[in-house]
Amino acid sequence: MRAVRWHARNDVRLDEVALPEPRPDEVLIRIEAAGICGTDVDEVLHGPITVPVAPHPVNGRSAPITLGHEMVGVVEQAGPASGVAPGARVAPWPSQPCGTCPDCATGHANRCRRQVALGMAADGGMADYLVAAGSACVPVGAEVALDRAVLVEPFAVALHGVHQVDVGGARVAVVGIGSLGLCVIEALALARPAEIIAISRAETARTAALEAGATAALTPDRAHEAEADIVFETAGAAPGVETSVAAVRRGGRIVVLGGHSKPLPIDLLDLVVREVIVQGSVSHCFVDFAEAARAITAGDLGRTSRPVEFAGLEAGPALLRTPASATKRILVPALR
């Protein structure tokens, strides 16, 4: 078998390449769908950010690298020690942590400095096929629609963020109601805080947030009314940080999930005077990823309808040069 690869930055069709044989502990996955994340767009428009320009110290790879860390597919070949059967529908965990550093040893593999992430330091899912470790693959129900099945990774990000804090009985706010923001609201709804306040400029986003489980919705100019114990910033833009600071109460906490590609000014005196804690939440651990896949398959996550655009791989380079929007853009190799 052979597959076509695309170099997103230069809009170049690379030569057809022979598909590799999976090693005994690996599987060859036929990609059904790969979501375009805001970090993918940032990589193309503002990068390199995570894609190495010098050989990666672990696998020796450097640009060009096939993007795509939100993916779902069907196993076509399975190594004898992979633990996965051919025909299984799976989502591969894109993280490949070293397993030996202090962060890995203490259960924080998402922070591993030496990890090789699919779609960042190794070829990802914006392709026809992908080879992945069988132990990193989690099952996704065959009946789950593509636009939900491809959301395992974003929901893992959301779950990891929610797992960072105790939201039980808390008044929480979510700033930035794009794809990730909706994932965070659904994850919060399962954790049952006292209130979930969505904050967005767009009326359609606020309506979607209420459908996802928010108990109230505000525009950014009214963010101060939230007086939230915990604010989840998912916008990944300077206005989102400003809105989050306005929405948090004295002694409250801001959890930043948004991917900010540039440094931002912040009023530290205000944070000091109000004793506000600002905390980062990066990516996810395998336990978050597996939980997301189980919950999506069970229908507990991915309940909210959202605008979706499906496109073939050939449309990927152009879409990756288009700033992220409320519409979730999904590449489907079968669309030609």
Side-chain angles (χ1 to χ4, degrees), residues 37-135:
C37 176
T39 57
D40 295 320
V41 174
D42 286 344
E43 192 69 49
V44 172
L45 295 181
H46 309 297
I49 300 171
T50 58
V51 172
V53 293
H56 190 280
V58 174
N59 69 350
R61 289 294 306 278
S62 61
I65 282 175
T66 303
L67 299 178
H69 54 273
E70 303 177 2
M71 51 208 154
V72 66
V74 176
V75 173
E76 293 227 336
Q77 295 182 38
S82 67
V84 184
R89 193 189 202 197
V90 299
W93 186 39
S95 300
Q96 297 177 351
C98 74
T100 59
C101 70
D103 283 317
C104 286
T106 55
H108 303 290
N110 59 310
R111 303 178 193 164
C112 177
R113 295 181 182 181
R114 292 175 55 81
Q115 70 173 294
V116 177
L118 301 180
M120 297 177 190
D123 288 331
M126 294 185 188
D128 295 288
Y129 292 89
L130 175 75
V131 171
S135 60

Side-chain angles (χ1 to χ4, degrees), residues 7-239:
H7 182 201
R9 181 175 298 282
N10 296 325
D11 199 5
V12 172
R13 174 174 168 150
L14 303 179
D15 291 338
E16 289 190 350
V17 294
L19 296 175
E21 289 288 329
R23 286 183 269 189
D25 60 345
E26 294 178 332
V27 295
L28 177 67
I29 302 169
R30 175 177 53 80
I31 297 295
E32 289 185 292
I36 294 180
C37 176
T39 57
D40 295 320
V41 174
D42 286 344
E43 192 69 49
V44 172
L45 295 181
H46 309 297
I49 300 171
T50 58
V51 172
V53 293
H56 190 280
V58 174
N59 69 350
R61 289 294 306 278
S62 61
I65 282 175
T66 303
L67 299 178
H69 54 273
E70 303 177 2
M71 51 208 154
V72 66
V74 176
V75 173
E76 293 227 336
Q77 295 182 38
S82 67
V84 184
R89 193 189 202 197
V90 299
W93 186 39
S95 300
Q96 297 177 351
C98 74
T100 59
C101 70
D103 283 317
C104 286
T106 55
H108 303 290
N110 59 310
R111 303 178 193 164
C112 177
R113 295 181 182 181
R114 292 175 55 81
Q115 70 173 294
V116 177
L118 301 180
M120 297 177 190
D123 288 331
M126 294 185 188
D128 295 288
Y129 292 89
L130 175 75
V131 171
S135 60
C137 293
V138 297
V140 178
E143 73 285 356
V144 179
L146 270 188
D147 58 336
R148 294 179 57 237
V150 80
L151 294 177
V152 173
E153 199 277 342
F155 270 113
V157 173
L159 287 169
H160 184 76
V162 172
H163 291 161
Q164 300 306 296
V165 288
D166 181 6
V167 300
R171 180 180 172 92
V172 302
V174 180
V175 173
I177 311 302
S179 179
L180 178 58
L182 288 175
C183 289
V184 171
I185 288 174
E186 285 199 32
L188 283 169
L190 294 181
R192 300 182 182 277
E195 296 179 71
I196 305 173
I197 304 165
I199 304 177
S200 176
R201 287 188 175 86
E203 182 178 357
T204 54
R206 295 194 298 273
T207 300
L210 293 171
E211 179 187 343
T215 55
L218 299 173
T219 52
D221 61 301
R222 297 178 57 197
H224 62 280
E225 298 176 19
E227 281 285 311
D229 302 308
I230 305 165
V231 178
F232 293 89
E233 190 279 322
T234 70

